[in-house]
Amino acid sequence: MRLINVRPRRGTAVLLACLPFVVLALAYLVGSAVRLAENPSDKLLPALSTIAQTVKLYAFTADRRTGLYLLWSDSAASLGRLLAGIGIATTLALLLGLLNGILPVVRAVLAPFVAVVSMVPPLALLPILFIVLGLGEVSKVTLIVIGVAPILIRDLALSAQALPREQIIKAETLSASTWLIAIRVVLPQVLPRLIDSLRLQIGPAFLFLIAAEAISADAGLGYRIFLVRRYLSMDVIFPYVAWITLLAVAMDLGLTALRRRIFPWSELERGR
């Protein structure tokens, strides 16, 4: 039997999926134990008990100065910026990507421009955004939009162009207008791809968000990480990084469930 045809059973697949996480956790525990045995004051790899105390302090104990629960207030600030940026980027991608994919005239105008913009490193624009838009929320949301929207637009346009030409011709023979073809023929078929593309952009979106918060913010997950780094507070940084990862994974799973719920036929096309 060829290796390419070997498919693990469901239980085996779950165990294999957990294996890298178990190895990583064991490596951390061993490394932490070794470092703390040599130096009980070591901050690089804090003990799990220390991390648990920090989580309790940040998540379940009100801050004495502000009265806020810092983990949740930082999460609310960051998620507000992230969802605003992703929402705007998705709306732009849906409009411009669809037009770019089905209208050759629009494609001739927009495709080169979008391609060039998508190659610009978004983080290189951060100082410009702060100078032009100020240090408030607008510049942070704009950075996410600039970083995510061009990729979504190009991917959606390519998906629209990849649809069989026969579908367009059949719709035209039934006297469908351009906009009816776009809405009834093209849009339903590219929306699952848009959701998948959005899933792939969650990580970059968090990257842009954290970079912006690290430079100018008074609340947020990225702000808190870069605030405590000067004190080498790894017992704060590790939980915050883990929390950001859990948020990203939850968003990914949510989008996957949404696609399967709204477009169940997309799973059949994948051969699952």
Side-chain angles (χ1 to χ4, degrees):
M1 179 180 293
R2 294 181 175 86
L3 186 60
I4 195 173
N5 296 322
V6 176
R7 295 182 179 272
R9 298 177 181 271
R10 185 174 182 83
T12 305
V14 172
L15 292 177
L16 292 175
C18 294
L19 181 61
F21 299 99
V22 173
V23 172
L24 181 61
L26 290 176
Y28 180 89
L29 292 175
V30 172
S32 176
V34 171
R35 293 186 66 92
L36 291 175
E38 296 177 356
N39 178 17
S41 301
D42 182 73
K43 292 185 175 182
L44 184 60
L45 296 176
L48 293 183
S49 58
T50 303
I51 293 178
Q53 292 175 0
T54 303
V55 170
K56 180 181 179 181
L57 177 65
Y58 276 75
F60 305 108
T61 305
D63 182 64
R64 294 180 179 180
R65 184 174 63 87
T66 63
L68 299 174
Y69 296 87
L70 294 180
L71 178 62
W72 308 119
S73 62
D74 289 336
S75 299
S78 292
L79 288 176
R81 297 164 185 148
L82 183 74
L83 295 178
I86 289 179
I88 295 172
T90 303
T91 302
L92 290 175
L94 192 57
L95 295 175
L96 299 182
L98 192 61
L99 293 176
N100 198 2
I102 65 175
L103 299 179
V105 175
V106 176
R107 183 160 59 248
V109 176
L110 286 183
F113 176 76
V114 174
V116 171
V117 171
S118 67
M119 301 300 172
V120 177
L123 294 181
L125 300 176
L126 189 54
I128 301 175
L129 294 177
F130 282 149
I131 293 172
V132 175
L133 301 177
L135 301 178
E137 301 299 310
V138 176
S139 57
K140 302 178 184 62
V141 173
T142 302
L143 178 66
I144 298 174
V145 174
I146 293 176
V148 173
I151 306 301
L152 294 179
I153 292 172
R154 294 187 69 186
D155 191 69
L156 191 67
L158 291 174
S159 298
Q161 294 175 47
L163 295 178
R165 180 62 185 173
E166 292 78 7
Q167 296 182 4
I168 308 298
I169 296 176
K170 290 179 180 179
E172 289 176 337
T173 60
L174 297 174
S175 302
S177 65
T178 299
W179 304 116
L180 189 59
I181 293 174
I183 295 174
R184 300 294 298 273
V185 178
V186 179
L187 183 60
Q189 298 186 76
V190 299
L191 280 178
R193 179 58 190 176
L194 176 62
I195 294 176
D196 284 338
S197 298
L198 190 56
R199 290 174 54 205
L200 297 177
Q201 291 302 310
I202 292 175
F206 265 109
L207 171 64
F208 305 140
L209 171 69
I210 292 172
E213 289 182 343
I215 296 176
S216 173
D218 56 6
L221 298 171
Y223 161 78
R224 193 68 56 189
I225 289 174
F226 279 81
L227 179 66
V228 302
R229 70 182 173 86
R230 67 188 68 176
Y231 309 113
L232 298 178
S233 299
M234 302 300 288
D235 57 326
V236 178
I237 295 175
F238 281 145
Y240 264 68
V241 171
W243 178 241
I244 292 171
T245 304
L246 287 175
L247 290 175
V249 170
M251 294 174 67
D252 180 83
L253 294 176
L255 289 172
T256 301
L258 179 66
R259 176 177 55 75
R260 290 175 175 172
R261 176 86 177 192
I262 300 178
F263 309 105
W265 49 266
S266 63
E267 293 298 312
L268 298 177
E269 291 187 347
R270 294 163 179 259
R272 295 178 182 175

